[in-house]
């Protein structure tokens, strides 16, 4: 059998996916971004072409779509759509979050699940990739409505998950409250206290210390590693952060702990600029406790202003952490950030930077960390939560944060080393994709055609 060249093989995989998933733009974007970087790996490892690794990797092992009926506070029956995409389990049980947001559809869940395979491989924690969610919108719903929705969602999901099968966690719209309701229903239906079936649990009942903070902290640790390699640091630097949810809040907190100043936060209604540095406790009070809009922050703090239109990336800063959602930072934003003197960009969110904007950053010599490496701290800490659940142990905060820090150093090192090995030192997109792909592909190769 004559093998196609790496380039021809990549094109053929891309064409197949484009044909099969024409109506899934986010998924196609995520696949293309990976395929675009793998030619050097395939040139050195033709056995991956021969074994059809990529042809299999781009097709989920299983996709579930289900009806989620629930009753609102007025007694009206509502129906949402639930998803779980079990993408790849070559390295371990499927692992990945649940997103509750009106924009959730199969394309979004598949893009997130595909990215998750690579991210999880980079953590070295032996977990496969999956993702799920619903088009349910928790904002403006009462706690009782959120609880009834979560119970209905779990009534179907329970058939497909388990500590050795598939372990969901949080994502946009799914935090500690939702994980609690989901776990309660799982326990009630199965009559089993299987703590390792969900991560992001409350620390009093099986959750890990620092899991809440892990994704945001991890993204800042990754940025710090990139800067340290270049002989620089975070101290004294001004950071622009988007979002005001789980990832953004703790990215801001860690920037400030390391001596930087984060001056922005945002939500879907606009952004705030606080030249004195974001008051993290006030931000948590408004977003986590009161679940209010970000404009409220400016109402309560004289050094802050609220901007309801335009982009947060117009605010100049040396560090940028996109921590809200996909495709939130485009070429115009990248141009503005570069003009404002940005030195490093680390993606806290999944795929927040458009491909054209990534190219601009790289061409301008800006250190750029893709989400699958920079935001891997969340899932890595989830894997540590699973280990603690299995061992019925609990680590203290200091141990947990120091394990997270070590993992982020390792993720950085393997992405950087792969970028050197494949001829583009400092290209973390190529490095992260190549290092992760090699790990998953080798496991698939050894496990046969399944
Ligand atoms: P949260 O729900 O806690 O916060 C999301 C934030 O982003 C909110 O401020 C929200 O504003 C804003 N946002 C969401 N969608 C949009 C939109 N379409 N337009 C503008 N703003 C929007 O989610 P997380 O912080 O957990 O997740 C943020 C990102 O990080 C996502 O890309 C997620 O996939 C990624 N991620 C999360 C991990 C985790 O551990 N939680 C792990 C790895 C990645 P509003 O409230 O107005 O909607």
């Amino acid at each position: 059998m004559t093998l196609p060249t790496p380039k021809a093989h990549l094109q053929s995989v891309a064409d197949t996916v484009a044909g099969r998933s024409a109506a899934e733009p986010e998924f196609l974007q995520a696949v293309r971004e990976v395929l675009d970087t793998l030619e050097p790996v395939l040139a050195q490892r033709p056995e991956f072409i021969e074994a059809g690794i990529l042809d299999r990797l781009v097709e989920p092992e299983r996709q579930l779509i289900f009806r989620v009926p629930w009753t609102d506070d007025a007694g009206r029956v509502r129906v949402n759509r639930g998803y779980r995409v079990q993408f790849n389990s070559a390295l371990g049980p499927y692992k990945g979050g649940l997103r509750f947001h009106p924009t959730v559809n199969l394309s979004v869940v598949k893009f997130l699940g595909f990215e998750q395979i690579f991210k999880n491989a980079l953590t070295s924690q032996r977990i496969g990739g999956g993702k799920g969610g619903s088009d349910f919108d928790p904002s403006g719903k009462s706690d009782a409505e959120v609880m009834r929705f979560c119970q209905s969602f779990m009534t179907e999901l329970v058939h497909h998950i388990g500590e050795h099968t598939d372990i969901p966690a949080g994502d946009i719209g799914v935090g500690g409250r939702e994980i609690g309701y989901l776990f309660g229903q799982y326990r009630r239906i199965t009559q089993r206290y299987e703590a390792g079936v969900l991560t992001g649990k409350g620390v009093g009942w099986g959750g890990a210390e620092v899991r809440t903070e892990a994704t945001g902290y991890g993204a800042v640790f990754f940025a710090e590693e990139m800067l340290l390699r270049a002989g620089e640091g975070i101290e004294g630097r001004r950071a622009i952060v988007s979002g005001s949810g789980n990832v953004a809040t703790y990215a801001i907190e860690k920037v400030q702990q390391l001596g930087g100043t984060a001056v922005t936060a945002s939500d879907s209604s606009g952004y705030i600029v606080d030249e004195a540095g974001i008051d993290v406790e006030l931000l948590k009070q408004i977003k986590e406790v009161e679940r209010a809009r970000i404009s409220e922050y400016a109402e309560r703090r004289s050094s802050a202003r609220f901007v309801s239109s335009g982009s947060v990336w117009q605010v100049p800063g040396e560090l940028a952490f996109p921590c809200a959602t996909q495709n939130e930072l485009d070429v115009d934003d990248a141009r503005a950030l570069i003009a404002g003197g940005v030195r490093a960009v680390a993606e806290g969110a999944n795929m927040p930077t458009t491909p054209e904007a990534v190219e601009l950053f790289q061409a301008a010599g800006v250190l750029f960390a893709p989400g699958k490496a920079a935001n891997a701290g969340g899932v890595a800490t989830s894997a540590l939560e699973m280990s603690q659940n299995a061992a019925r142990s609990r680590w203290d905060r200091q141990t947990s944060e120091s394990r997270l820090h070590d993992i982020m150093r390792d993720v950085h090192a393997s992405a950087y080393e792969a970028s050197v090995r494949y001829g583009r030192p400092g290209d973390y997109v190529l490095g992260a994709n190549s290092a992760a792909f090699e790990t998953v592909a080798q496991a698939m190769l050894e496990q046969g055609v399944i």
Side-chain angles (χ1 to χ4, degrees):
M1 183 174 76
T2 315
L3 285 182
T5 62
K7 200 178 174 118
H9 176 62
L10 288 163
Q11 189 57 52
S12 132
V13 174
D15 290 346
T16 304
V17 183
R20 246 185 219 149
S21 308
E24 297 171 1
E26 293 86 359
F27 175 55
L28 291 180
Q29 183 183 336
V31 170
R32 209 166 297 129
E33 187 261 333
V34 170
L35 296 183
D36 280 352
T37 58
L38 293 183
E39 199 176 332
V41 182
L42 294 179
Q44 286 187 23
R45 304 292 304 271
E47 65 273 28
F48 292 159
I49 302 179
E50 193 177 356
I53 298 290
L54 272 173
D55 307 83
R56 288 185 275 145
L57 195 55
V58 296
E59 189 64 24
E61 291 175 10
R62 200 169 295 103
Q63 308 180 53
L64 307 157
I65 302 181
F66 49 96
R67 183 174 70 197
V68 190
W70 56 283
T71 308
D72 68 19
D73 286 345
R76 221 178 82 209
V77 174
R78 307 270 203 115
V79 177
N80 285 97
R81 189 172 278 187
Y83 300 87
R84 186 72 183 167
V85 172
Q86 299 179 329
F87 224 116
N88 191 292
S89 57
L91 293 180
Y94 310 104
K95 178 97 196 84
L98 298 171
R99 177 178 291 191
F100 292 169
H101 194 270
T103 55
V104 167
N105 56 35
L106 187 60
S107 173
V108 168
V109 177
K110 281 177 70 179
F111 119 63
L112 291 165
F114 184 71
E115 292 256 303
Q116 197 81 44
I117 305 168
F118 297 86
K119 180 185 314 191
N120 293 2
L122 284 171
T123 68
S124 306
Q125 297 293 309
R126 305 289 169 258
I127 39 181
K131 200 84 187 190
S134 174
D135 56 0
F136 173 75
D137 185 358
S139 70
K141 304 286 189 303
S142 70
D143 284 355
E145 288 176 322
V146 171
M147 181 181 73
R148 288 195 292 275
F149 173 81
C150 288
Q151 290 174 340
S152 181
F153 187 86
M154 182 53 82
T155 301
E156 174 59 34
L157 194 68
V158 69
H159 302 301
H160 313 288
I161 61 173
E163 60 186 337
H164 300 297
T165 321
D166 184 351
I167 303 104
D171 191 82
I172 290 178
V174 179
R177 174 182 61 167
E178 290 74 16
I179 293 293
Y181 294 148
L182 290 164
F183 184 77
Q185 184 73 349
Y186 181 89
R187 186 166 66 73
R188 179 192 199 187
I189 295 174
T190 60
Q191 300 183 21
R192 283 165 65 88
Y193 205 103
E194 203 182 316
V197 72
L198 285 169
T199 57
K201 299 180 292 292
V203 282
W205 48 278
E209 292 283 357
V210 189
R211 172 60 190 91
T212 309
E213 297 88 344
T215 308
Y217 279 16
V220 177
F221 287 146
F222 196 99
E224 187 185 32
E225 288 301 305
M226 294 196 299
L227 289 162
L228 286 175
R229 250 208 58 76
E232 304 168 39
I234 288 194
E235 196 174 352
R237 288 187 132 153
R238 183 180 149 99
I240 310 303
V241 180
S242 67
S244 52
N246 172 263
V247 180
T249 301
Y250 294 97
I252 291 170
E253 184 168 279
K254 185 50 73 181
V255 164
Q256 324 260 49
Q257 284 174 5
L258 294 178
T261 308
V263 294
T264 64
S266 70
D267 66 15
S268 50
S269 68
Y271 64 92
I272 49 153
V273 186
D274 185 346
E275 293 294 345
I278 300 288
D279 177 338
V280 181
E281 291 315 312
L282 178 60
L283 184 68
K284 287 181 191 170
Q285 173 63 28
I286 290 168
K287 299 304 291 189
E288 289 179 5
V289 181
E290 299 173 23
R291 296 181 189 270
R293 302 276 73 197
I294 197 73
S295 52
E296 191 61 30
Y297 181 98
E299 300 281 321
R300 298 192 205 168
R301 190 146 149 107
S302 58
S303 52
R305 64 193 161 89
F306 172 66
V307 185
S308 63
S309 60
S311 158
V312 68
W313 309 117
Q314 302 299 318
V315 182
E318 296 156 286
L319 310 173
F321 295 93
C323 297
T325 194
Q326 63 269 13
N327 294 326
E328 55 160 310
L329 196 168
D330 64 15
V331 272
D332 292 336
D333 299 322
R335 280 196 197 102
L337 280 169
I338 292 166
V342 75
R343 175 71 182 115
V345 179
E347 294 185 327
N350 285 310
M351 210 168 73
T353 316
T354 64
E356 300 76 20
V358 175
E359 270 177 38
L360 272 188
F361 285 135
Q362 291 183 324
V366 174
L367 298 169
F368 179 81
K372 56 172 86 71
N375 70 34
V379 72
T381 307
S382 278
L384 302 182
E385 181 173 332
M386 289 157 62
S387 307
Q388 290 165 72
N389 293 153
R392 294 186 171 276
S393 63
R394 183 170 160 194
W395 305 345
D396 62 22
R397 212 183 147 75
Q398 205 185 346
T399 310
S400 304
E401 187 170 339
S402 116
R403 287 293 297 268
L404 167 67
H405 204 161
D406 289 345
I407 289 172
M408 294 315 296
R409 284 196 192 99
D410 290 348
V411 171
H412 173 270
S414 54
Y416 185 77
E417 281 158 19
S419 78
V420 173
R421 198 159 63 245
Y422 291 112
R424 290 180 61 105
D427 180 341
Y428 289 95
V429 177
L430 174 135
N433 288 345
S434 311
F437 173 68
E438 277 184 305
T439 307
V440 181
Q442 186 62 33
M444 290 175 72
L445 192 68
E446 291 171 16
Q447 292 173 29
V449 179
I450 53 167

